[in-house]
Amino acid sequence: MPTSPASQPTQHGLRSIWRKRGLGAWLLWPVSVLYGTLQRWNAGRMRDQQQSAGVPVIVVGNVIAGGAGKTPVTQAVVAHLQKTGWQPGIVSRGYGRKTTDCREARPDSPASEVGDEPALLARSTGVPVFVAAKRIEAALALREKYPQVNIIVSDDGLQHLALARNIELCVFNDEGVGNGFLLPAGPLREPWPRPVTASLYAGQPPQPPGSSPLFALQRQLADTAYNSKGESCSLSDLTGGKAEAVAAIARPESFFTMLRERGVELAATQALPDHYDFESFSRLLGADTTLICTEKDATKLWRTHPQAWAVPLQLQLPQAFWDLLDTQLEVIKA
């Protein structure tokens, strides 16, 4: 099966070092000590400068480098808030964008201007979304334009302590905390365990688990894919012939695996760097072959390949998690 060079399994590099406390990790450990010192200093500085958005804030983040599935959790939390009578808004840094100002992300905003995840969130949730390097600036700008918003969800930002928060949700993928070292010897952005409202995990619970409640999450591909023309098709309709799949996410192989598990025959795959801009993207197979992408990559890919089918990722969380969230929100309202 044809694959792009980037899609070949990587046995070297930082991610393989982060799996265990081997020689490579110990050689980098002194740098991790320095990183930890700087991280603690920066965290203290941000706490001293912490500002309130004037409404409750839920932060959906992680403590490891790379993707952990925060954005699908943000989508699920926002949908739940809407169903329970809240009027949420979303703030984000807008990672990967070419702009540096504070601005609104609209459903038709180019990912290059607002970031691919905020563009997806604006398109999929229908709630106000603002991006800024300083989340408090995004929150205040959002509330000024949309005063009806009475709760804010921050997509990422667990370490951005300058934004005061009421609820913290920490998301883990199936790699947990890796070898438990701080960057660059390990994947941790900050020491773990640390207090959070709840931890959400795919696969096995993180070790050590910490003292916060743990909830398993289930991820699956949606039954329906769609393209830039507003057309949709059942995922089962894509199983009848060979297809080419592309993903520019932290762990693209997981997307390809889920497609195969749903019966999609992949004749070629391209695993590209997370937040890839697709400006130099070229297909491995001919234009007559079905092209499938992640929902996050769709906006950028559709500029040159409008026929590509985007497959959303759906999330399931146990009712116990939603009960905990609702209880926390009731306490905040009281």
Side-chain angles (χ1 to χ4, degrees):
M1 179 182 68
T3 59
S4 67
S7 67
Q8 300 294 342
T10 302
Q11 300 300 327
H12 305 287
L14 284 177
R15 197 164 295 282
S16 61
I17 291 174
W18 292 347
R19 295 192 188 107
K20 60 182 181 178
R21 296 188 176 185
L23 177 61
W26 283 112
L27 289 174
L28 290 171
W29 181 77
V31 186
S32 292
V33 175
L34 176 60
Y35 172 86
T37 301
L38 294 173
Q39 188 273 333
R40 288 191 298 273
W41 174 83
N42 190 51
R45 180 181 60 86
M46 285 195 288
R47 284 193 186 96
D48 291 339
Q49 301 173 356
Q50 195 170 77
Q51 293 179 262
S52 170
V55 295
V57 171
I58 300 173
V59 173
V60 179
N62 65 0
V63 293
I64 61 168
K70 299 180 296 294
T71 298
V73 173
T74 298
Q75 290 172 307
V77 168
V78 167
H80 179 79
L81 292 172
Q82 290 173 308
K83 286 191 295 185
T84 52
W86 292 88
Q87 297 189 62
I90 299 172
V91 298
S92 173
R93 175 186 172 189
Y95 185 84
R97 63 188 175 118
K98 297 179 179 178
T99 58
T100 58
D101 60 345
C102 174
R103 63 173 59 200
E104 183 176 5
R106 299 178 177 274
D108 58 351
S109 292
S112 60
E113 294 182 3
V114 300
D116 46 20
E117 285 149 347
L120 168 59
L121 288 168
R123 191 170 68 246
S124 62
T125 66
V127 307
V129 180
F130 273 70
V131 298
K134 296 181 178 180
R135 284 16 171 244
I136 185 63
E137 292 183 5
L140 294 176
L142 188 156
R143 291 202 61 222
E144 181 178 3
K145 184 169 182 180
Y146 298 97
Q148 73 274 20
V149 167
N150 57 10
I151 191 167
I152 287 175
V153 181
S154 176
D155 183 47
D156 206 0
L158 201 59
Q159 291 77 39
H160 190 76
L161 299 175
L163 174 63
R165 69 283 310 272
N166 304 87
I167 294 173
E168 291 185 319
L169 306 178
C170 187
V171 185
F172 290 93
N173 58 37
D174 54 10
E175 295 178 4
V177 298
N179 61 17
F181 282 157
L182 293 173
L183 292 166
L188 289 176
R189 298 176 176 180
E190 61 175 313
W192 179 265
R194 54 97 94 194
V196 292
T197 308
S199 295
L200 312 175
Y201 65 91
Q204 298 298 315
Q207 296 297 330
S211 59
S212 60
L214 283 168
F215 299 96
L217 56 83
Q218 302 293 328
R219 299 188 181 107
Q220 63 183 29
L221 296 179
D223 293 330
T224 303
Y226 63 100
N227 62 23
S228 67
K229 303 173 184 178
E231 301 169 336
S232 61
C233 74
S234 170
L235 192 58
S236 61
D237 292 338
L238 303 178
T239 62
K242 294 183 178 181
E244 177 179 355
V246 59
I249 55 178
R251 291 165 181 81
E253 282 300 332
S254 63
F255 178 63
F256 305 147
T257 298
M258 285 191 287
L259 285 171
R260 293 187 183 103
E261 289 175 347
R262 294 293 296 271
V264 180
E265 183 179 353
L266 299 181
T269 60
Q270 289 208 58
L272 301 169
D274 197 10
H275 303 286
Y276 179 69
D277 60 17
F278 283 89
E279 290 181 358
S280 59
F281 171 77
S282 60
R283 296 192 58 174
L284 297 176
L285 303 180
D288 57 339
T289 305
T290 300
L291 181 60
I292 304 173
C293 67
T294 71
E295 191 179 31
K296 172 181 164 182
D297 297 322
T299 300
K300 292 177 287 186
L301 181 60
W302 282 341
R303 292 178 309 203
T304 53
H305 296 78
Q307 78 287 358
W309 293 107
V311 186
L313 185 65
Q314 294 181 332
L315 196 72
Q316 290 184 341
L317 281 160
Q319 184 59 44
F321 166 73
W322 299 119
D323 292 341
L324 172 67
L325 182 62
D326 290 340
T327 298
Q328 293 288 327
L329 291 171
E330 286 298 323
V331 171
I332 292 168
K333 285 168 60 177

